[in-house]
Amino acid sequence: ISIFGADLPGPLDAVQLSVVEMPAGMIKKPTKRRSAADQDKIIVEALRGVGRPVSAYELIEQVRGKGVSAPPTVYRALQRLIDDGLAHRLESLNAFVACDHPHHSGRAVFAICDSCGTVKEFDSPVAVKGLQTWAGKNDFHIRSMTMELRGRCGDCTASQD
């Protein structure tokens, strides 16, 4: 009889049991599952620590040492953080940033420098109101609103002159 690649001598029945050492590759290490809240805290702290937009895979590299390494886990945490107003997804960069203004409830404006990559988050109630007015007049229901301004920051513009 062969179990887990090891041959056992004689018949195996309920009376005679042999202890077989499992091959090292088959031994499962005990896992300690983190709660969603703990995962979210790790992810948002990493986003704040990086201080720039990062892809989900860059973020995984940042948090791997803290026991968060599965892409689905990171994506679920990012979605919860976005839903809670603690993070944003920058569509044009396919990247995520920590929210600098958690009071704007899903309406964010970003200025993204094409030269140095700097991203600044700011409020623009006038722009938001204008878009909300348009949506209301056109029977469009806004789920979320992220505006991205692309161009050159003041530092990059000054260095070109």
Side-chain angles (χ1 to χ4, degrees):
I1 297 174
S2 178
I3 298 178
F4 300 115
D7 291 326
L8 298 177
L12 181 64
D13 58 29
V15 178
Q16 176 190 359
L17 293 177
S18 298
V19 176
V20 178
E21 189 174 316
M22 290 181 65
M26 296 187 70
I27 299 173
K28 274 194 132 177
K29 295 178 183 172
T31 59
K32 180 181 174 188
R33 299 193 81 178
R34 295 186 185 279
S35 69
D38 288 344
Q39 292 170 3
D40 294 356
K41 184 179 178 186
I42 290 168
I43 299 296
V44 78
E45 285 175 357
L47 278 174
R48 288 185 180 133
V50 172
R52 63 176 176 79
V54 292
S55 71
Y57 285 94
E58 287 178 282
L59 195 55
I60 289 168
E61 292 305 315
Q62 292 288 324
V63 298
R64 187 177 305 279
K66 296 183 180 180
V68 180
S69 60
T73 301
V74 172
Y75 277 109
R76 282 192 296 268
L78 285 166
Q79 189 57 57
R80 285 190 301 269
L81 293 170
I82 290 167
D83 293 344
D84 292 343
L86 298 173
H88 299 285
R89 182 169 190 266
L90 298 175
E91 300 287 336
S92 66
L93 300 176
N94 194 24
F96 300 88
V97 292
C99 180
D100 287 339
H101 301 281
H103 61 276
H104 56 70
S105 60
R107 277 104 168 106
V109 185
F110 294 93
I112 304 168
C113 180
D114 292 326
S115 295
C116 69
T118 299
V119 175
K120 299 285 185 191
E121 180 179 354
F122 64 95
D123 288 324
S124 181
V126 172
V128 169
K129 183 66 177 163
L131 292 170
Q132 288 172 327
T133 299
W134 178 90
K137 288 179 182 177
N138 291 279
D139 196 29
F140 185 84
H141 301 278
I142 299 171
R143 179 180 45 83
S144 67
M145 184 184 310
T146 303
M147 292 174 269
E148 298 180 23
L149 308 176
R150 300 296 302 254
R152 293 172 55 112
C153 68
D155 290 343
C156 289
T157 301
S159 70
Q160 284 292 63
D161 294 339

